[in-house]
C-alpha cells in the first residue's frame, strides 16, 4: 500500500507541476494581448505574430491543465440520474466509465505521439514548428491517463470494500 500511495503522490505532484508550468504562460499571453490591443488602438500597428503566439500559449495552458483539472474534479459532471441509483450501481458505473475513458485517452495519447513524430509543418507567420505542440497533446493525455488510473484504483477499491 505504501508503494501505491508513493506512486500516487508522485503522479499528482507531476500533474500539479505541469499545471503550474501552463499557468506561467498566462501572464505573457495577457501582456501580449494587451500590447496588441494598445498597438492597434493607438498606433494602428498590430504586433506581428501575436495571434499565432497567443493561440500556441493558450493551447499549452489548456493541455497542461487538463490532468490537474481532473485531479481536483473540476470537470463538469451531471449526476441527476446517477445520484438516484444505489451506491453499488453508481460505483460500478464509475468503474465502467473510467475504463472507457482510459481506453479513449490511451488512443489519444498514442495517436498524438504518432502524429507528433510525423509532423513537419511550421506556422504561417513565425515559422514555429508544429511537432512540439502535437507531442504536448500526447504528454497531456498521458498524465490524464495516469490520473484516471488513480481514479480507477480508488473506485475498484471502494466497490470491493462494499
Amino acid at each position: 500500500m505504501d508503494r501505491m500511495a508513493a506512486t500516487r503522490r508522485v503522479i499528482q505532484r507531476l500533474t500539479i507541476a505541469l499545471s503550474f508550468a501552463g499557468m506561467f504562460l498566462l501572464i505573457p499571453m495577457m501582456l501580449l494581448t494587451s500590447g496588441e490591443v494598445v498597438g492597434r488602438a493607438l498606433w494602428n500597428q498590430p504586433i506581428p505574430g501575436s495571434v499565432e503566439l497567443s493561440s500556441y500559449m493558450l493551447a499549452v495552458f489548456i493541455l497542461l491543465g487538463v490532468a490537474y483539472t481532473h485531479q481536483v474534479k473540476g470537470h463538469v459532471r451531471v449526476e441527476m440520474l446517477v445520484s438516484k441509483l444505489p451506491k453499488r450501481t453508481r460505483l460500478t458505473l464509475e468503474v465502467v466509465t473510467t475504463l472507457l475513458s482510459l481506453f479513449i485517452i490511451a488512443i489519444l495519447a498514442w495517436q498524438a505521439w504518432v502524429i507528433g513524430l510525423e509532423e513537419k509543418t511550421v506556422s504561417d507567420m513565425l515559422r514555429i514548428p508544429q511537432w512540439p505542440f502535437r507531442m504536448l497533446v500526447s504528454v497531456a493525455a498521458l498524465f490524464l491517463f495516469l490520473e484516471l488510473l488513480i481514479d480507477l484504483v480508488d473506485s475498484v477499491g471502494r466497490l470491493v470494500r462494499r
Side-chain angles (χ1 to χ4, degrees):
M1 192 63 167
D2 287 333
R3 182 168 284 196
M4 182 62 183
T7 303
R8 174 191 305 254
R9 269 194 312 276
V10 167
I11 291 169
Q12 289 178 337
R13 285 184 181 161
L14 285 172
T15 299
I16 290 170
L18 279 177
S19 71
F20 280 158
M23 284 191 296
F24 283 120
L25 288 176
L26 282 179
I27 292 174
M29 188 171 71
M30 178 195 66
L31 293 173
L32 182 64
T33 303
S34 299
E36 171 79 7
V37 169
V38 169
R40 282 184 188 268
L42 296 180
W43 301 289
N44 200 23
Q45 286 287 347
I47 299 172
S50 66
V51 173
E52 208 171 271
L53 279 176
S54 291
S55 66
Y56 285 133
M57 285 189 271
L58 184 62
V60 170
F61 168 70
I62 290 169
L63 288 170
L64 292 180
V66 166
Y68 177 74
T69 305
H70 181 78
Q71 183 184 67
V72 296
K73 306 296 183 242
H75 290 117
V76 176
R77 295 179 79 162
V78 179
E79 298 181 351
M80 290 185 325
L81 297 176
V82 178
S83 63
K84 308 280 190 237
L85 296 173
K87 184 151 181 134
R88 186 163 187 79
T89 307
R90 269 187 285 166
L91 287 172
T92 304
L93 280 174
E94 193 172 314
V95 167
V96 169
T97 56
T98 304
L99 283 170
L100 289 171
S101 298
L102 282 167
F103 177 69
I104 291 167
I105 296 301
I107 292 172
L108 176 67
W110 165 50
Q111 286 300 301
W113 182 263
V114 169
I115 291 170
L117 289 176
E118 295 171 352
E119 188 66 54
K120 303 287 185 240
T121 59
V122 294
S123 64
D124 293 333
M125 182 174 274
L126 299 176
R127 313 301 292 165
I128 298 172
Q130 299 289 309
W131 69 268
F133 302 98
R134 308 277 190 218
M135 297 300 273
L136 190 58
V137 173
S138 184
V139 171
L142 172 66
F143 277 90
L144 181 56
F145 183 89
L146 293 173
E147 289 292 336
L148 284 166
L149 207 54
I150 289 171
D151 281 358
L152 179 65
V153 169
D154 288 347
S155 297
V156 168
R158 283 184 285 154
L159 188 62
V160 169
R161 279 192 298 261
R162 291 261 321 137

